[in-house]
Amino acid sequence: MTASLLHQTFSLKRLHKAKRKILKQDTLDNDFIKPSFDAEPVFTVKSDFVDISWEQDIGLLSNHTQYFKMLRDKKINRYVIETNKLLIRLDKLICDISSDPEKKKEYEKSIVPWVADSDVPLCPGCAKSFGLSRRWHHCRLCGYVMCNSCSFFISYDFARKLTLPAISDDQRLLQKSSPVSRKGSAASLMSVVNIGSDHQNLRICKDCNMLLQRHDKMLDLKNHRPVLVQLYERLRECMSEVNKLVPQYKEMIESLNSGETDYQLQDVHELKFKITKLAERIDAH
């Protein structure tokens, strides 16, 4: 009797376990078939792409263009200010070039104060210590210290090119024999006349050289006209001249056809020949 009751109890327990297992499996199947709309999007993997079951909203957009322009403008303004300072000092340096080295050195120190040698134990460019074999040298435009290996040199011709960008080489040659002056740079023009040697150089540092070279490139880009622009300008000149001559040619033809004697036939042929040549030049461009 006792064994029979134990067997029935064990069978009921197994039945309850199987029932709970079946119910749990049904619950999982129902959750998979009917997902909640509050849940995360379900991705269905297909053959070649991943498809989203419903459309998603666009997230937060952020535009940093104005912030970038603000940073760029600050950087450009800083470069412009520093470059203008160097050009002003450069213009002063080439105004009065003394043949006496001591006077020349004192004049260069008066343009911009030099940093004391004792304040710079190492070269900022190569980080090597100064001594008997490596002497202190100063930039003539900012007064900073560097060694001879880290120094850059610019000629006075290059300096005059930067301080007088709007004057061509031919005009500078004419100014040597004429008293023409430019407002604000009369001393610079006098220095062009007084300087007899073109082999003198100015010692500058790496940073000043970078700013001057960048300014020189900007001047070249500003003054240089591409070949395509030059051809287009010539084309426009020819077309403008043709537009002026064609009405005159028509007037001469109408005058001759009406029997008037204001124009000669030879004049009409010459004008026609000129218009034809201009048309050929236009076609060539």
Side-chain angles (χ1 to χ4, degrees):
M1 183 68 179
T2 304
S4 177
L5 290 174
L6 290 174
H7 180 71
Q8 291 179 0
T9 304
F10 181 75
S11 299
L12 290 174
K13 288 182 178 180
R14 292 181 62 184
L15 179 62
H16 285 300
K17 287 183 179 180
K19 182 179 179 181
R20 286 197 300 270
K21 186 175 181 181
I22 293 172
L23 292 176
K24 185 177 180 181
Q25 184 66 32
D26 292 339
T27 304
L28 292 175
D29 293 340
N30 292 333
D31 292 340
F32 180 76
I33 295 172
K34 298 179 181 180
S36 174
F37 287 98
D38 296 332
E40 295 294 330
V42 178
F43 293 89
T44 304
V45 180
K46 295 186 178 181
S47 59
D48 295 327
F49 61 93
V50 178
D51 185 20
I52 300 178
S53 58
W54 61 84
E55 184 179 357
Q56 291 182 326
D57 296 333
I58 299 177
L60 179 64
L61 297 178
S62 180
N63 189 352
H64 299 282
T65 303
Q66 296 300 327
Y67 178 69
F68 168 75
K69 289 182 178 180
M70 181 185 66
L71 295 180
R72 184 187 62 180
D73 292 341
K74 288 183 179 180
K75 186 175 181 180
I76 292 176
N77 291 335
R78 182 171 62 87
Y79 276 125
V80 171
I81 292 173
E82 293 298 326
T83 304
N84 289 337
K85 288 181 180 179
L86 297 184
L87 293 177
I88 293 173
R89 295 169 184 171
L90 191 62
D91 185 65
K92 293 180 179 179
L93 286 172
I94 64 177
C95 287
D96 185 14
I97 302 176
S98 177
S99 58
D100 187 1
E102 293 298 329
K103 291 183 179 180
K104 180 181 177 182
K105 186 176 181 179
E106 292 299 326
Y107 178 73
E108 291 172 347
K109 287 184 178 181
S110 66
I111 300 299
V112 56
W114 286 10
V115 178
D117 297 346
S118 57
D119 295 340
V120 186
L122 300 177
C123 175
C126 59
K128 295 181 180 179
S129 59
F130 291 106
L132 294 176
S133 60
R134 183 172 289 102
R135 305 302 299 168
W136 289 267
H137 296 281
H138 294 79
C139 175
R140 269 51 176 178
L141 296 179
C142 66
Y144 210 62
V145 178
M146 68 278 187
C147 67
N148 186 64
S149 301
C150 298
S151 300
F152 290 83
F153 297 89
I154 60 172
S155 64
Y156 283 98
D157 290 336
F158 180 71
R160 289 192 291 271
K161 175 188 174 184
L162 296 179
T163 55
L164 302 174
I167 302 178
S168 62
D169 295 335
D170 296 337
Q171 290 174 335
R172 290 195 186 106
L173 293 176
L174 293 175
Q175 287 173 351
K176 290 184 179 182
S177 58
S178 61
V180 179
S181 62
R182 185 166 69 95
K183 185 178 180 181
S185 297
S188 297
L189 292 175
M190 292 302 297
S191 66
V192 176
V193 180
N194 295 330
I195 296 174
S197 176
D198 292 332
H199 300 287
Q200 304 182 59
N201 296 322
L202 285 173
R203 185 189 298 270
I204 60 175
C205 63
K206 179 181 178 181
D207 295 332
C208 294
N209 180 69
M210 180 189 67
L211 291 176
L212 293 181
Q213 294 295 337
R214 179 178 297 180
H215 182 69
D216 181 50
K217 290 182 180 179
M218 291 180 63
L219 291 178
D220 291 340
L221 291 175
K222 182 179 179 180
N223 299 327
H224 175 69
R225 293 188 305 165
V227 178
L228 184 61
V229 174
Q230 298 179 19
L231 293 175
Y232 179 75
E233 290 178 352
R234 295 175 188 172
L235 176 63
R236 295 300 303 175
E237 290 177 359
C238 294
M239 294 177 64
S240 177
E241 191 171 356
V242 168
N243 291 333
K244 293 178 181 179
L245 296 178
V246 167
Q248 184 180 357
Y249 177 75
K250 290 181 178 180
E251 181 182 353
M252 296 172 69
I253 292 296
E254 292 176 357
S255 177
L256 291 176
N257 290 334
S258 62
E260 297 178 358
T261 59
D262 296 338
Y263 301 101
Q264 299 294 327
L265 186 60
Q266 183 66 25
D267 298 334
V268 177
H269 286 304
E270 291 178 357
L271 185 59
K272 181 181 178 181
F273 179 77
K274 188 175 182 180
I275 294 175
T276 304
K277 288 297 182 182
L278 289 173
E280 291 177 356
R281 291 176 60 184
I282 293 174
D283 293 337
H285 285 83

